[in-house]
Amino acid sequence: MTRQSDPREHLASAKTQAVLRIQHRILIAVREHLREQGFIELLPPIIGPVTDPGARGAKQVDIDYYGHRYKLMTSAILYKQATLLAFDKIFFIAPNIRLEPLETAGTGRHLTEFHQIDVEMAGASRDDIMELLESLVRRVIEETLDTSADTLGEVGRDTAALAKALLVPFGRQTHSSAVGRLHAMGHPQNSDAEIDWQGEVRLASEAEQPFFITDYPKGSRGFYDRENEQQPGSLRNFDLLAPEGYGELCSGSERENDYATIVARIRETGENPAKYAWYLKMAREGIPSSAGFGIGLERFTRYIAGVDSVWQASAYPKIPGEPSP
Ligand code: AMP
Ligand code: MG
C-alpha cells in the first residue's frame, strides 16, 4: 500500500481517523492496566549524551548540545533503569528516532519516528514481566473489542481473528527452536542473529495467538539484556510476536545490573565504556535488578486495527528515506 505523503489527505481520511481512534483506546487501556498494577507513568527524555546502542542496523541522530555531541533517543532503556532509583514500577510512552536502512521502507513495520510503551519493574524476573506483558496485551484486545467494535468494522478488521488471540495462553518457543522451524521451511535464518522480519512473517502467519520467542543469543541484542548464568551465550530475554503474519510487537528482558559485567558487555560489543560515563557511575553505585519491555505503539495499533502498514498508525508518519512533514 503506498502512503499518502500529503498531510491533509492523510489526516482527513476516514481510515486514518478510525485507526487513530483505535490507538487512543489502546493507550487508555494500557494506562488503566498499568496504573491498576501500581505502575507510575513518567515523561521520558528525548536527548542525552548516549542512547541505546542496540538498535540493530539503524543509525542514531546526533545533535549539537552546546558543543557536546548528544543523541536523540533510539530507546529509553538507560533511563528506565535509572528511574528505578525513584520508583519500583514505571512506564513511559516514549518517542524514538532511528534512521532505519532504506530497504526497510516497504516492510510495513518500520518508521524512523515511532513510540514505545516502555515498562520496567524492579526485582522482576523474566517470567514476572512476560506475565505482565501477556495480561496487558489481553486487556487491550478485550477492551478494543468491547469499546471499538464499530471502528474496527470501519477499518475492515477481522474481529473473529482478533478474538481468537484470547482463546488460549500465549505460546512460548526458544530462539533456537524458531530458527530450526525456519530452516525446516527453507528460510535461511542466521542462528546468531535476531529473527529477520521475513522469518517473523512466516512464523507469525502460522499463528492464531500472540507468541513469545525467548533466549536470544548474545550479540543479537543490547549489553543490558542479562546473560543466562546456566547457559552462557544465551540471554534472559524475549520477543512477543503478533499472529496473522504481523510479527514482532515487543522486545523485553531481565536486565544486567552488575557494574563489572555491564562494562565487560559494553566492551564485547566493540563500544567504548567511557561514552556511558553517567550510566556506569550510576551502575557502580548500585541499580536494582529489574526486567522490562518495550511495545512499539504503531506496531501494536497496526495489529489491533488490522492495517497493512505502521504508517497508517501514525498521524505524522516518517518512512525511512522519505522526506516528510
Ligand atoms: P527494539 O528495541 O528494536 O526491540 O524495539 C522495541 C519495539 O519497538 C519493537 O518490538 C517494535 O515494536 C518497535 N520498533 C522498533 N523499531 C521500530 C521502527 N523502526 N518502526 C516502528 N516500530 C519499531
Ligand atoms: Mg526488538
Side-chain angles (χ1 to χ4, degrees):
M1 186 168 211
T2 55
R3 132 175 150 73
Q4 287 154 341
S5 51
D6 174 49
R8 175 182 299 278
E9 221 177 302
H10 181 57
L11 289 163
S13 122
K15 179 134 187 184
T16 304
Q17 291 166 13
V19 174
L20 294 178
R21 271 203 300 277
I22 292 165
Q23 187 170 80
H24 174 66
R25 294 303 319 184
I26 293 173
L27 283 169
I28 290 172
V30 163
R31 287 188 159 115
E32 265 175 19
H33 191 72
L34 291 173
R35 183 171 47 77
E36 285 168 18
Q37 311 284 320
F39 284 80
I40 293 192
E41 179 173 4
L42 286 99
L43 299 172
I46 307 169
I47 60 172
V50 280
T51 183
D52 178 1
R56 297 143 287 279
K59 275 205 323 216
Q60 302 180 347
V61 178
D62 291 343
I63 64 161
D64 176 3
Y65 188 74
Y66 305 97
H68 300 274
R69 193 146 64 118
Y70 267 40
K71 305 283 186 189
L72 299 183
M73 287 301 127
T74 51
S75 98
I77 176 62
L78 306 179
Y79 294 91
K80 286 205 295 181
Q81 285 182 283
T83 310
L84 298 178
L85 297 174
F87 305 108
D88 284 347
K89 295 171 152 191
I90 59 105
F91 73 103
F92 305 134
I93 309 293
N96 296 160
I97 303 290
R98 300 183 186 179
L99 299 182
E100 298 282 2
L102 286 175
E103 58 271 21
T104 62
T107 62
R109 302 153 49 106
H110 293 88
L111 293 167
T112 53
E113 185 174 54
F114 63 96
H115 297 79
Q116 286 193 60
I117 302 158
D118 237 331
V119 177
E120 198 74 19
M121 181 172 162
S125 67
R126 179 172 66 175
D127 276 338
D128 295 334
I129 209 75
M130 286 167 72
E131 208 175 290
L132 175 71
L133 172 60
E134 178 163 348
S135 71
L136 181 63
V137 170
R138 287 179 172 279
R139 169 80 172 258
V140 165
I141 295 173
E142 281 161 10
E143 283 201 13
T144 38
L145 284 169
D146 259 13
T147 61
S148 308
D150 292 352
T151 320
L152 290 169
E154 268 175 59
V155 296
R157 180 59 163 118
D158 176 352
T159 48
L162 186 57
K164 271 194 191 155
L166 301 171
L167 290 181
V168 294
F170 298 172
R172 296 181 181 198
Q173 59 192 287
T174 61
H175 177 269
S176 59
S177 76
V179 170
R181 277 179 62 198
L182 285 169
H183 288 169
M185 291 176 195
H187 181 81
Q189 171 64 45
N190 175 350
S191 59
D192 296 326
E194 287 210 298
I195 309 292
D196 58 46
W197 65 265
Q198 298 94 331
E200 283 190 356
V201 169
R202 295 188 72 163
L203 295 174
S205 299
E206 295 186 335
E208 293 188 326
Q209 282 83 35
F211 60 99
F212 291 102
I213 298 180
T214 62
D215 304 276
Y216 284 72
K218 194 159 95 164
S220 72
R221 300 279 270 251
F223 63 77
Y224 39 79
D225 281 9
R226 178 177 283 158
E227 189 169 3
N228 187 338
E229 276 173 22
Q230 273 76 51
Q231 223 180 301
S234 159
L235 301 171
R236 298 271 301 157
N237 64 4
F238 60 88
D239 270 9
L240 182 70
L241 279 73
E244 304 173 65
Y246 287 105
E248 179 184 345
L249 285 182
C250 174
S251 290
S253 190
E254 273 175 28
R255 311 301 182 189
E256 187 52 70
N257 68 323
D258 174 66
Y259 169 73
T261 311
I262 295 173
V263 173
R265 293 282 305 279
I266 292 178
R267 288 220 171 88
E268 279 171 20
T269 63
E271 286 221 67
N272 179 1
K275 273 174 43 184
Y276 296 88
W278 78 263
Y279 174 77
L280 288 175
K281 174 174 185 292
M282 182 182 74
R284 196 172 58 232
E285 291 166 358
I287 46 175
S289 100
S290 66
F293 57 76
I295 310 176
L297 176 64
E298 293 80 5
R299 291 213 191 154
F300 200 11
T301 309
R302 171 185 177 235
Y303 162 56
I304 298 288
V307 291
D308 294 333
S309 177
V310 279
W311 69 257
Q312 296 167 286
S314 167
Y316 326 103
K318 292 190 180 64
I319 302 216
E322 281 186 30
S324 7

